[in-house]
Amino acid sequence: MTLLKSWVSSANSADHPFPLNNLPYGVFSTADTDPRCGVAIGEMILDMQAAEHSGLIDLGDVALFDVPFWNDLMEEGPAVWGALRERLTALLAEGSAEQSKVEPLLVPMGQAALHMPFMVSEYTDFYAGRNHAFNVGTMFRGPENALPPNWLHIPIGYNGRASSVVVSGTDIRRPWGQLKSPDHDLPAFLPCRRFDLELEMGAIVGVASDGPITVKEADDAIFGYVLLNDWSARDIQAWEYQPLGPFQAKATATSISPWIVTKLALEPFRTDTPEREFELLDHLKDCGPMLYDIDLSVSLAPEGKDATTIARTNFDQMYYSSAQQLAHHTTSGCPMNVGDLLGSGTISGPAKSERGSLLELSWGGKEPLTLDTGDERSFLLDGDTLTLSGHAQGDGYRIGFGACSGKILAALADPYAR
Amino acid sequence: MTLLKSWVSSANSADHPFPLNNLPYGVFSTADTDPRCGVAIGEMILDMQAAEHSGLIDLGDVALFDVPFWNDLMEEGPAVWGALRERLTALLAEGSAEQSKVEPLLVPMGQAALHMPFMVSEYTDFYAGRNHAFNVGTMFRGPENALPPNWLHIPIGYNGRASSVVVSGTDIRRPWGQLKSPDHDLPAFLPCRRFDLELEMGAIVGVASDGPITVKEADDAIFGYVLLNDWSARDIQAWEYQPLGPFQAKATATSISPWIVTKLALEPFRTDTPEREFELLDHLKDCGPMLYDIDLSVSLAPEGKDATTIARTNFDQMYYSSAQQLAHHTTSGCPMNVGDLLGSGTISGPAKSERGSLLELSWGGKEPLTLDTGDERSFLLDGDTLTLSGHAQGDGYRIGFGACSGKILAALADPYAR
């Protein structure tokens, strides 16, 4: 696969995130329009509501784009997902006979504000990156017992809070919480002191199910992917997580990138899961190359200063694919719905510079990072802007995700003041 | 408070669950009508859609009962909740001038099927009954270390799956899952062998929030309560729950009773939380009597046989109230929405006969129960029907919850057969 050329010339650059090969789905508004679905092409956004109203997009009897989210399109299922992609590709390709009809429906990206691209039904976060699990386990239990006994047999996950998911660009308020310092006997209610990021990918479920599904069925049910930052209050987590797992430590916010990159756009970048010392049970086995070769990076910019890249890694570092996570999620009969979001778990490579959280990068705060600005960081400080970036590198083109960014605001002086 | 008399004579019996003092909210259908909101009064259900259309119920400009769930009424807030209760009480009271207009809108309960009374936004399950936490902790860690260090300071909870919540009467299919027997080195994918109930109450959030709220604000935000059975696959749980908590073990189903008993109906039954050896931090402190005196029981009927009551306890056994749980839930800034459901955690009294799960009643399977039928049970068997019941006992009247019931179906022979 090489670059597909579009008559939208800004889409034809080798390093632009949104060439014709990508066509990611978002929700935008302008000074003149309410939030509505749009497709990114180069520096422009195709207004899907206008495209549907004009008849240029016609996917059947039902209007799918009178709503400011992509869930209605997802509900139509994979055949319609494929038909839409084919139609968009034809409309926007160099030489399209319909260029003159489509051109008036394009909005410059610079004039658009971006919103949540879909309604999150429920949110689950996994813990399926081996280097991350090993690093965290080593800090808490030593390297011999770093991975829990179940870790190599099932993708460990926990349910998160859908209500906490926000779009990139949303400020993140440092939370309060109940903490216990190692040097105190009793806990106190204080602003979080160890606020952290987690570099993850989010998979969006596009096909509902009501009982166990195979890994292949799960792969077919995934609509697309976003970058995901699972903001984490490490001191709240340390005090609360035994015995039932993280709760308030993960409930302040989870940021996602604003463009859903479809599974269809990522097909050329599939890659294999790693070798395993224990064969997976049949219902979790790979059904083909299930991971994706997606370069990922994390940057941190102190207030008013330049950003430093603090980590680079790749989505191919996962031990379990999103499809395997979804298949496991259904084993008990758990009903899954369109719009369910699955966080991959923190993605860390084997090298120190490839770690996807400050907890790992600063080794629990013992080895602070020095940024290019000379500032030191163990955890996030107020005013820091944290940005996740990602793209798959094709032959002369990229499938980009757009940034997943958030700025840390100071904790409220009194969270109960009214 | 004594019995309030209604012109619906079946509501005036001292042991009927639905006297005029109660007025619980459900959703029903008949052979002639689609699902719609209804209010239970004695053996009848008031059709709220018809009552609104006729003008007998008029709560403002917006139609609240053209939908088959109570969320729209909840959205209106506590003042409207109070106005509706006052209006219903007037319409149904003995001597009401409007009896002749209301009578045609009543449907006999025997002709009605009951449905989910509200749309569950998100579901959280707590672990806030001290006897339960102590019993389970003792089995796993011995009595000295039974309660985790955080337990007496915060209500421990985890996020569950809203998609798994079903109404009483829904059959429960025994799940498959990944298990590891103590005598095997490796896990296997098998039907659950230790399927259990958990006797809980569910609190329904009726007021949304977007930051930390006080215990008083949380109490004001609760719309009502239901009985809740948190079906639990103990063998799946044992293998999966470290380090991030229960996941598939709790995702098969959670049953609730079909009638929302409003907080307003339960006001006369408020009671204090227990004495505490550690004072709670300010943001979690009681703001008055926060528990409720509600008698609870669990019965088990093997297929085709009579039911045996296997446990009796009371909601006043909780260490943390639902309001304290909700307040804790918001500490991190976690947004809460109308329709969020909070499970109390398993309610067990101090005596053996007061334990709210088979795990505790059979002490991990080591002391099987003998039912009145002569059958023995450590955990649930296929064909068993499990029923939770509850009521608050007033002076010559009861506030009843209606049953929360489910029958266990055999696991699928092959969960992936299509």
Side-chain angles (χ1 to χ4, degrees):
Chain A
M1 173 83 74
T2 54
L3 177 74
L4 301 176
K5 285 223 168 171
S6 171
W7 52 261
V8 180
S9 57
S10 58
N12 296 333
S13 137
D15 59 357
H16 198 285
F18 307 134
L20 185 57
N21 308 58
N22 193 348
L23 299 176
Y25 301 154
V27 169
F28 74 101
S29 62
T30 67
D32 305 321
T33 60
D34 288 337
R36 54 185 58 192
C37 292
V39 178
I41 177 75
E43 290 300 308
M44 307 298 280
I45 301 173
L46 174 60
D47 179 336
M48 289 300 289
Q49 184 176 313
E52 189 174 57
H53 285 187
S54 73
L56 280 171
I57 298 284
D58 181 3
L59 296 167
D61 295 337
V62 190
L64 299 176
F65 299 110
D66 282 343
V67 292
F69 41 78
W70 283 83
N71 300 61
D72 284 13
L73 185 269
M74 293 188 221
E75 294 273 4
E76 295 295 305
V80 174
W81 308 347
L84 174 60
R85 184 170 169 83
E86 202 171 310
R87 179 68 180 143
L88 288 168
T89 304
L91 287 175
L92 294 164
E94 206 170 57
S96 164
E98 287 156 307
Q99 176 177 345
S100 63
K101 291 186 208 153
V102 177
E103 255 177 331
L105 311 183
L106 294 179
V107 175
M109 207 167 274
Q111 293 174 16
L114 298 175
H115 306 276
M116 277 290 295
F118 69 108
M119 289 192 301
V120 182
S121 180
E122 296 192 63
Y123 166 51
T124 307
D125 193 34
F126 285 87
Y127 183 63
R130 183 166 185 167
N131 297 305
H132 171 72
F134 182 80
N135 287 338
V136 173
T138 300
M139 275 182 253
F140 291 143
R141 292 179 295 273
E144 297 76 17
N145 303 305
L147 288 185
N150 50 21
W151 202 95
L152 294 168
H153 301 282
I154 38 172
I156 297 295
Y158 65 99
N159 299 296
R161 250 328 264 198
S163 67
S164 74
V165 181
V166 297
V167 72
S168 174
T170 306
D171 290 337
I172 307 300
R173 175 76 65 186
R174 180 183 298 275
W176 285 67
Q178 199 179 110
L179 327 169
K180 198 184 83 61
S181 304
D183 51 342
H184 283 72
D185 288 339
L186 291 173
F189 189 64
L190 292 169
C192 169
R193 296 160 182 182
R194 291 161 72 95
F195 200 54
D196 199 0
L197 75 129
E198 289 194 340
L199 167 62
E200 305 193 18
M201 299 286 296
I204 300 161
V205 176
V207 178
S209 56
D210 198 20
I213 62 174
T214 65
V215 173
K216 176 66 169 68
E217 289 165 338
D219 198 76
D220 291 345
I222 292 173
F223 179 67
Y225 292 86
V226 289
L227 303 175
L228 185 150
N229 185 347
D230 175 30
W231 303 100
S232 297
R234 299 296 179 197
D235 40 7
I236 298 173
Q237 188 176 356
W239 174 237
E240 78 177 359
Y241 92 106
Q242 286 288 5
L244 298 186
F247 184 52
Q248 288 305 285
K250 303 281 195 168
T252 301
T254 300
S255 298
I256 63 169
S257 51
W259 296 104
I260 303 172
V261 175
T262 62
K263 185 180 55 184
L264 296 171
L266 293 170
E267 282 303 321
F269 304 98
R270 281 185 182 264
T271 179
D272 287 322
T273 50
E275 283 195 44
R276 308 178 190 280
E277 49 261 67
F278 294 107
E279 202 180 0
L280 294 179
L281 292 172
D282 284 346
H283 70 291
L284 290 177
K285 281 207 169 94
D286 297 57
C287 65
M290 326 211 58
L291 297 180
Y292 297 94
D293 177 3
I294 299 173
D295 288 321
L296 299 167
S297 65
V298 182
S299 77
L300 195 166
E303 178 101 60
K305 296 189 182 175
D306 287 343
T308 300
T309 298
I310 59 172
R312 291 182 191 280
T313 182
N314 193 294
F315 194 31
D316 67 9
Q317 292 295 317
M318 301 307 299
Y319 196 77
Y320 296 99
S321 65
S322 299
Q324 285 163 318
Q325 294 172 343
L326 175 55
H328 172 59
H329 209 317
T330 67
T331 48
S332 68
C334 179
M336 302 302 293
N337 289 310
V338 170
D340 282 343
L341 174 64
L342 309 187
S344 61
T346 306
I347 307 163
S348 294
K352 182 163 181 181
S353 62
E354 296 171 348
R355 295 173 184 167
S357 68
L358 281 168
L359 178 69
E360 295 164 85
L361 287 164
S362 75
W363 208 252
K366 289 181 190 153
E367 302 170 17
L369 291 187
T370 303
L371 306 179
D372 297 346
T373 53
D375 298 271
E376 287 205 341
R377 285 293 180 281
S378 291
F379 292 95
L380 296 166
L381 296 189
D382 296 342
D384 286 353
T385 295
L386 202 292
T387 302
L388 312 183
S389 306
H391 68 268
Q393 183 62 56
D395 180 10
Y397 73 99
R398 284 182 169 186
I399 301 293
F401 279 78
C404 177
S405 193
K407 180 176 175 177
I408 310 301
L409 303 184
L412 293 170
D414 173 1
Y416 298 103
R418 294 289 184 266
Chain B
M1 175 83 75
T2 55
L3 177 72
L4 300 176
K5 287 221 167 169
S6 170
W7 52 261
V8 180
S9 57
S10 58
N12 295 333
S13 137
D15 59 357
H16 198 285
F18 307 133
L20 185 57
N21 308 57
N22 193 348
L23 299 174
Y25 300 154
V27 168
F28 74 101
S29 62
T30 68
D32 305 321
T33 61
D34 288 337
R36 54 185 60 191
C37 292
V39 177
I41 177 75
E43 292 299 308
M44 308 298 281
I45 300 173
L46 173 60
D47 179 337
M48 289 298 289
Q49 185 176 314
E52 189 174 57
H53 286 186
S54 73
L56 280 170
I57 298 285
D58 180 4
L59 295 168
D61 293 338
V62 190
L64 300 175
F65 300 109
D66 282 343
V67 290
F69 42 76
W70 283 82
N71 300 60
D72 285 12
L73 184 269
M74 291 188 226
E75 294 273 4
E76 296 294 307
V80 174
W81 308 348
L84 174 60
R85 183 168 170 83
E86 203 171 308
R87 179 67 181 146
L88 289 168
T89 304
L91 287 175
L92 293 164
E94 205 171 57
S96 164
E98 287 156 308
Q99 176 177 346
S100 63
K101 291 185 209 154
V102 177
E103 254 175 333
L105 311 183
L106 294 179
V107 175
M109 207 167 275
Q111 295 174 14
L114 297 176
H115 307 276
M116 276 292 293
F118 69 108
M119 289 192 302
V120 181
S121 180
E122 297 192 63
Y123 166 51
T124 307
D125 193 33
F126 284 88
Y127 183 62
R130 183 165 186 168
N131 296 303
H132 171 73
F134 182 81
N135 288 337
V136 173
T138 300
M139 275 182 253
F140 291 141
R141 293 179 295 271
E144 296 77 17
N145 302 307
L147 287 186
N150 51 19
W151 202 93
L152 294 169
H153 301 282
I154 37 173
I156 298 295
Y158 65 99
N159 299 296
R161 255 320 270 196
S163 67
S164 74
V165 181
V166 297
V167 72
S168 174
T170 307
D171 291 337
I172 307 299
R173 174 76 63 186
R174 179 183 299 276
W176 285 68
Q178 197 178 111
L179 326 170
K180 198 185 82 61
S181 304
D183 51 341
H184 283 73
D185 288 339
L186 291 173
F189 189 63
L190 293 168
C192 170
R193 296 160 181 180
R194 291 161 73 95
F195 201 54
D196 198 359
L197 75 128
E198 289 193 343
L199 166 63
E200 304 191 19
M201 298 287 295
I204 300 161
V205 175
V207 178
S209 56
D210 199 19
I213 62 174
T214 65
V215 173
K216 176 66 169 67
E217 288 166 338
D219 198 78
D220 291 344
I222 293 172
F223 179 69
Y225 293 86
V226 290
L227 303 174
L228 185 149
N229 185 347
D230 175 30
W231 303 100
S232 298
R234 300 297 180 194
D235 39 8
I236 297 173
Q237 188 175 355
W239 174 238
E240 78 177 358
Y241 93 106
Q242 286 290 5
L244 298 187
F247 184 51
Q248 288 304 285
K250 302 283 195 166
T252 301
T254 300
S255 298
I256 63 169
S257 53
W259 296 104
I260 302 171
V261 175
T262 62
K263 185 180 57 182
L264 296 172
L266 292 170
E267 283 302 322
F269 304 99
R270 281 186 181 263
T271 178
D272 287 321
T273 49
E275 283 195 42
R276 307 179 191 279
E277 48 263 67
F278 294 108
E279 202 180 0
L280 294 179
L281 292 173
D282 284 346
H283 70 292
L284 292 176
K285 281 208 170 94
D286 297 58
C287 64
M290 331 209 53
L291 296 179
Y292 297 94
D293 178 4
I294 299 172
D295 289 321
L296 299 167
S297 66
V298 183
S299 77
L300 195 167
E303 179 102 61
K305 296 188 183 175
D306 287 342
T308 300
T309 298
I310 59 172
R312 290 183 191 280
T313 183
N314 194 295
F315 193 31
D316 66 9
Q317 292 295 317
M318 301 307 298
Y319 196 76
Y320 296 100
S321 65
S322 299
Q324 286 162 318
Q325 294 172 343
L326 175 55
H328 173 59
H329 209 318
T330 67
T331 48
S332 67
C334 179
M336 303 300 295
N337 289 309
V338 171
D340 282 342
L341 173 64
L342 309 187
S344 61
T346 307
I347 308 163
S348 293
K352 182 163 181 180
S353 63
E354 295 171 349
R355 295 174 184 166
S357 69
L358 281 167
L359 179 68
E360 296 165 85
L361 287 162
S362 75
W363 208 251
K366 291 183 186 147
E367 302 169 16
L369 291 186
T370 303
L371 306 179
D372 297 347
T373 53
D375 297 271
E376 286 204 339
R377 284 294 180 281
S378 291
F379 292 96
L380 295 166
L381 296 188
D382 295 343
D384 286 354
T385 295
L386 202 292
T387 301
L388 313 183
S389 306
H391 69 268
Q393 183 64 55
D395 179 10
Y397 73 99
R398 284 182 168 185
I399 302 293
F401 279 78
C404 177
S405 192
K407 181 176 175 176
I408 310 301
L409 304 185
L412 293 170
D414 173 1
Y416 298 103
R418 295 288 184 267

